[in-house]
Amino acid sequence: MTPRSSSSRKIPKKAKPQKPPAVLPAPKEEPGEAALALTPDAPAGPAAAPSSAAVPDGDRHRLLAGTHHDPHAVLGAHPAPGGSGCVVRALKPHASAVVAVDEDGTRTELHADGEGFFSAVLPGPTRHRLLVTYPGRDEPLLCEEPYRFLPALGDLDLHLIGEGRHEELWRALGARIMTVDGVTGTRFTVWAPNARGVRVIGGFNYWDGVGHPMRSLGATGVWELFLPGVGEGELYKYEITRPDGSLSRKADPMARRTEVPPATASVVDASHYEWQDADWLAHRADRPLHEAPFSVYEVHLASWRPGLTYRQLAEELPAYVKETGFTHVELMPVAEHPFGGSWGYQVTGFYAPTSRLGTPDDFRFLVDALHRAGIGVLMDWVPAHFPRDEWALAQFDGRPLYEHGDPQRAAHPDWGTLVFDFGRTEVRNFLVANATYWCEEFHIDGLRVDAVASMLYLDYSREYGQWSPNVYGGREDLDAVRFLQEMNATVYRRNPGVVTIAEESTAWDGVTRPTDQSGPGGFGGLGFGLKWNMGWMHDSLEYVAKEPVHRKYHHNEMTFSMVYAYSENYVLPISHDEVVHGKQSLVSKIPGDWWQRRATVRAYLGFMWAHPGKQLLFMGQEFAQGSEWSEASGPDWWLLDPDYPAQADHRGVKDLVSELNAVYRGAPALWQRDTDPGGFSWVVGDAAEDNVLAFLRYDKEGAPLLAVSHFSPAVREDYRLGVPEEFGAWQEVLNTDAERFGGSGITTPQPVKTDPTAAHGRPASLRLTLPPLATVWLRPV
């Protein structure tokens, strides 16, 4: 049991302790306290003799000032000088009396030494508890003495922390409920190497840390304190004495749960969730991801269905994703963040799922539900930067700690945030462990790493004179490179079947090359599994935004991606970034009347799903939402309401996405050889006047799929395309112009026979009718 006190006011010697303010609730009893209550006839010990037992003046001053590095050496029970008995000292601010209670129930009153200090010399070594009386409280509180416990953090943990190699850092730092020497409580541990002192504050001590100073564990910079009786759900922070003597109150960087923003306290948490996805995890790594179907639905959880909790989302999201056929969902950042308008990209609680939607176990329930529906879960992860909120990571112990010490490298010029010091071993450990934490504690199947380019370049968004070159005179951030390599290597080694994905917008060589393979840049591969293809996204959207009559002048924007398609392992993203901030939604980017815009979207999605690489589509775009995304309102679901006059138009696009995913899954030619140039062959890539692109995809057995995209509103009859001669007839397996998708219905339901006429360098050909603004897929019969 830990006492409650109301403020940090000092109590003068021999002065009557002050009663806690009436606005504070009476201290609640900790679980199990009733079992510790003294019987009325418990034997009483002799009165205390204080003169030789009081805390020395130097220690007393440092404890009250919050600058003591080893309170356990002073407080608690210690052998008395000469080896006769033991000295017992306690620091209980605002208490009026403290009694030491022996294991046999014998009580010895401690002398009140003033300012919350109490002491006595007991006859012999004893394991004692404290009976603490507070003014205004009818019954005294019986509690364990925190300062009798040995450190609850082992030497191996401290060694690994010091080396920056603790891959399960979350098990060593933060608030962890545990039982020590038969007593249950919470071990608090925090890394603050520049602090002159650290104290735990929380609801259990009325946010007054004077009575709960932590001890420093050697040169590691870790501070530790085990508090008996503090359990699940308690709010807490750390009160840190900075090098200049000032105090700051900081949330726990390793907190696994937080208060609901805008409140900022950390919460003691323990998981009780029983996973039901063992089968999913057992088979997750059966097939290499690069040789498997992989289509992603990007979701902002807080706005997908505004107002739903994690558990309510678990009732709706898996069913919707399964209906639309996506293999994975990608969640925009779920780690705790103070400002909802940042969409989670300015993180303060790297180890805590946002409490806006529920508890960490509630989030586990959602992930589990998706897995049981056969859907993988990716998560946006943001190690590039963090916000400046004074209660969070910024200047955590009074000096730059998580951020870089060089002001030029610490501040992000675009976002007003701070950049991690990737060269510091403990900071790198904090981030690497965080990546594995989400995969292991929450069964996340992949991390999409945000803003990788901003990490890789020292001159990112900086002008001449605002940055300094690396030791080789270059602009590459060598510390960030090493961090990303270590993160990827660790995640892949510990979590089979998990994928890491880079949002990297430059031509950095080897983003998805293994870390042990060197490239032209000499840095070795970064080790990501996949990379967002920002070039394809930009070029293709520029193309479809042109009027059809002008597209012939921009035809190369649709073909250029194949020049570098196999230089990395790519994802083709139409993400949230492309449908906000004046960029317009996908359907609204496109010129023409309403029919032409929807038709172009359908043709574009057909082209996207057939193009080498994996696919990602942001929520709302799967049914041609016309407005930009808003985090306040989410997708315009009313467009699919049966009573809405144009609902069939939107439902047609949604049905096409479901059909694309279904046919895609069943067509190995579209995913088995995504990283093999031999799996792709142009049929016609230069038909700019016709706005036509046609290519073949091949599976491992050599079976082809023909994809033809036509971005003109005209109908082209008898359009000849060269095909392999060994196939006698081809069957249309998908046509985005089908009436059920909202198209004009120009389809070819019967197989098309191969013509022996040579075309496009092939000995045989097909004659097709190309629908307006449509993509058609065909396979040999």
Side-chain angles (χ1 to χ4, degrees):
M1 173 64 202
T2 51
R4 274 68 169 164
S5 53
S6 60
S7 71
S8 60
R9 292 175 294 172
K10 298 179 181 178
I11 304 173
K13 285 187 177 180
K14 301 182 181 179
K16 182 178 180 181
Q18 298 296 310
K19 180 179 179 180
V23 296
L24 292 174
K28 66 177 185 294
E29 294 184 346
E30 296 292 342
E33 184 177 339
L36 299 175
L38 295 177
T39 58
D41 57 350
S51 57
S52 62
V55 173
D57 286 344
D59 290 309
R60 182 189 188 103
H61 173 77
R62 290 162 61 203
L63 286 166
L64 292 175
T67 59
H68 208 295
H69 74 284
D70 190 11
H72 293 70
V74 181
L75 303 176
H78 302 274
S84 176
C86 69
V87 173
V88 176
R89 304 188 187 99
L91 176 54
K92 301 296 177 184
H94 313 297
S96 57
V98 177
V99 173
V101 182
D102 231 332
E103 288 183 308
D104 63 2
T106 300
R107 294 181 291 174
T108 303
E109 183 177 355
L110 274 60
H111 183 270
D113 298 324
E115 297 182 294
F117 289 95
F118 297 82
S119 64
V121 177
L122 273 61
T126 179
R127 171 178 170 172
H128 65 275
R129 288 170 288 177
L130 300 178
L131 188 66
V132 185
T133 300
Y134 289 95
R137 186 180 178 94
D138 295 335
E139 298 292 332
L141 301 177
L142 185 63
C143 58
E144 295 284 350
E145 169 55 67
Y147 296 95
R148 75 171 180 84
F149 295 94
L150 294 173
L153 197 63
D155 289 340
L156 178 59
D157 286 315
L158 291 173
H159 172 75
L160 292 173
I161 291 170
E163 291 289 316
R165 298 290 180 183
H166 204 308
E167 294 179 0
E168 297 181 354
L169 189 65
W170 66 93
R171 302 187 190 278
L173 297 182
R176 189 170 188 84
I177 297 172
M178 61 197 316
T179 299
V180 179
D181 198 15
V183 177
T184 299
T186 297
R187 181 196 69 195
F188 295 92
T189 44
V190 64
W191 178 60
N194 297 308
R196 293 176 61 188
V198 183
R199 301 188 283 208
V200 183
I201 58 175
F204 44 83
N205 60 16
Y206 288 145
W207 301 94
D208 179 0
V210 172
H212 289 139
M214 306 176 76
R215 65 177 146 206
S216 174
L217 299 179
T220 60
V222 175
W223 299 76
E224 182 261 0
L225 180 63
F226 175 72
L227 288 183
V230 174
E232 191 171 352
E234 290 278 11
L235 305 181
Y236 73 98
K237 283 187 178 181
Y238 296 114
E239 186 173 70
I240 295 175
T241 305
R242 301 186 184 103
D244 64 3
S246 61
L247 298 179
S248 63
R249 292 185 165 191
K250 295 285 191 174
D252 187 352
M254 302 293 299
R256 292 184 286 278
R257 184 179 170 190
T258 70
E259 278 191 289
V260 178
T264 60
S266 304
V267 181
V268 176
D269 187 63
S271 176
H272 305 284
Y273 189 74
E274 296 183 6
W275 289 92
Q276 302 177 47
D277 63 349
D279 187 64
W280 170 271
L281 296 181
H283 296 286
R284 183 172 63 182
D286 285 354
R287 180 164 55 183
L289 183 97
H290 305 95
E291 301 174 6
F294 188 91
S295 61
V296 183
Y297 183 56
E298 188 187 23
V299 176
H300 181 253
L301 281 178
S303 68
W304 185 73
R305 293 280 191 181
L308 297 190
T309 65
Y310 290 129
R311 289 184 178 265
Q312 291 168 333
L313 285 163
E315 298 298 320
E316 297 192 26
L317 184 59
Y320 184 81
V321 176
K322 193 166 186 175
E323 175 192 345
T324 47
F326 291 93
T327 66
H328 290 72
V329 294
E330 180 179 311
L331 309 179
M332 289 168 65
V334 297
E336 193 59 271
H337 48 285
F339 176 50
S342 77
W343 311 331
Y345 290 98
Q346 295 196 7
V347 178
T348 49
F350 280 81
Y351 284 79
T354 180
S355 55
R356 293 171 173 86
L357 307 180
T359 68
D361 274 356
D362 294 337
F363 180 60
R364 289 180 174 93
F365 183 86
L366 171 59
V367 175
D368 205 358
L370 287 160
H371 282 170
R372 285 184 279 114
I375 300 161
V377 182
L378 313 175
M379 187 188 86
D380 280 11
W381 185 56
V382 192
H385 64 127
F386 58 93
R388 296 174 179 267
D389 300 70
E390 62 179 13
W391 50 268
L393 295 182
Q395 297 251 332
F396 184 76
D397 58 5
R399 290 179 180 166
L401 188 65
Y402 289 91
E403 65 269 44
H404 204 285
D406 181 350
Q408 280 193 326
R409 296 183 63 177
H412 197 291
D414 287 346
W415 304 323
T417 51
L418 296 171
V419 178
F420 281 104
D421 184 354
F422 302 112
R424 185 160 192 164
T425 56
E426 298 92 342
V427 174
R428 194 165 61 243
N429 192 175
F430 173 82
L431 293 171
V432 171
N434 186 242
T436 65
Y437 169 79
W438 288 103
C439 298
E440 295 175 24
E441 289 291 320
F442 295 97
H443 294 195
I444 296 297
D445 302 298
L447 301 172
R448 199 280 300 191
V449 183
D450 183 64
V452 171
S454 75
M455 303 163 66
L456 291 174
Y457 297 98
L458 295 168
D459 63 346
Y460 186 88
S461 289
R462 291 176 170 87
E463 302 296 332
Y464 179 79
Q466 296 179 336
W467 63 281
S468 300
N470 62 35
V471 293
Y472 302 110
R475 64 192 187 109
E476 301 85 4
D477 189 330
L478 304 181
D479 293 331
V481 170
R482 286 189 286 266
F483 156 66
L484 291 170
Q485 290 172 329
E486 180 182 346
M487 181 276 297
N488 281 313
T490 305
V491 167
Y492 278 105
R493 173 171 49 82
R494 292 181 62 101
N495 301 278
V498 164
V499 63
T500 60
I501 307 167
E503 185 212 16
E504 204 286 311
S505 55
T506 73
W508 183 281
D509 181 66
V511 173
T512 58
R513 187 185 301 121
T515 58
D516 60 351
Q517 294 183 15
S518 180
F523 299 108
L526 295 183
F528 285 94
L530 296 166
K531 170 183 172 174
W532 274 17
N533 193 334
M534 311 296 279
W536 172 89
M537 177 272 297
H538 178 271
D539 290 345
S540 62
L541 290 180
E542 283 286 317
Y543 176 82
V544 295
K546 305 295 182 184
E547 292 284 350
V549 70
H550 297 142
R551 286 173 183 161
K552 62 183 178 181
Y553 303 111
H554 301 271
H555 194 75
N556 65 305
E557 293 175 4
M558 291 293 270
T559 60
F560 181 65
S561 59
M562 288 312 303
V563 173
Y564 60 87
Y566 298 102
S567 62
E568 303 278 5
N569 306 327
Y570 282 116
V571 175
L572 312 180
I574 301 299
S575 73
H576 65 278
D577 274 333
E578 308 315 314
V579 296
V580 292
H581 298 328
K583 295 181 182 178
Q584 301 181 301
S585 70
L586 181 57
V587 73
S588 297
K589 297 176 188 288
I590 297 166
D593 60 28
W594 176 229
W595 189 93
Q596 290 179 329
R597 286 157 54 200
R598 287 184 292 117
T600 304
V601 164
R602 295 194 303 268
Y604 179 79
L605 294 176
F607 172 78
M608 174 181 174
W609 254 250
H611 191 285
K614 312 306 182 181
Q615 303 83 33
L616 178 142
L617 192 63
F618 182 61
M619 63 184 195
Q621 310 316 299
E622 77 275 15
F623 57 84
Q625 173 176 312
S627 61
E628 288 187 337
W629 168 60
S630 163
E631 74 274 7
S633 57
D636 293 337
W637 297 111
W638 52 271
L639 295 172
L640 299 174
D641 193 308
D643 295 331
Y644 179 63
Q647 69 90 20
D649 296 343
H650 297 278
R651 189 164 295 278
V653 176
K654 177 175 175 289
D655 289 345
L656 170 67
V657 170
S658 299
E659 185 79 2
L660 282 169
N661 278 322
V663 177
Y664 167 78
R665 282 178 183 252
L670 293 178
W671 41 263
Q672 265 189 350
R673 301 173 71 182
D674 264 336
T675 61
D676 176 7
F680 176 92
S681 179
W682 279 113
V683 173
V684 55
D686 58 357
E689 291 290 336
D690 300 332
N691 301 139
V692 171
L693 302 109
F695 51 83
L696 291 160
R697 299 290 306 278
Y698 296 93
D699 66 18
K700 287 185 174 181
E701 306 301 321
L705 181 144
L706 174 64
V708 186
S709 293
H710 178 216
F711 287 99
S712 167
V715 177
R716 301 193 187 277
E717 298 181 350
D718 290 328
Y719 199 87
R720 189 176 296 276
L721 295 169
V723 294
E725 65 178 337
E726 62 266 31
F727 303 104
W730 294 67
Q731 177 72 56
E732 189 175 276
V733 293
L734 183 134
N735 187 325
T736 66
D737 193 50
E739 289 184 355
R740 69 181 186 277
F741 305 140
S744 62
I746 299 177
T747 62
T748 307
Q750 300 302 318
V752 180
K753 292 183 179 181
T754 303
D755 189 320
T757 304
H760 303 120
R762 289 179 170 81
S765 58
L766 296 176
R767 291 188 301 167
L768 302 175
T769 297
L770 301 187
L773 299 172
T775 290
V776 179
W777 295 352
L778 302 100
R779 285 193 294 192
V781 176

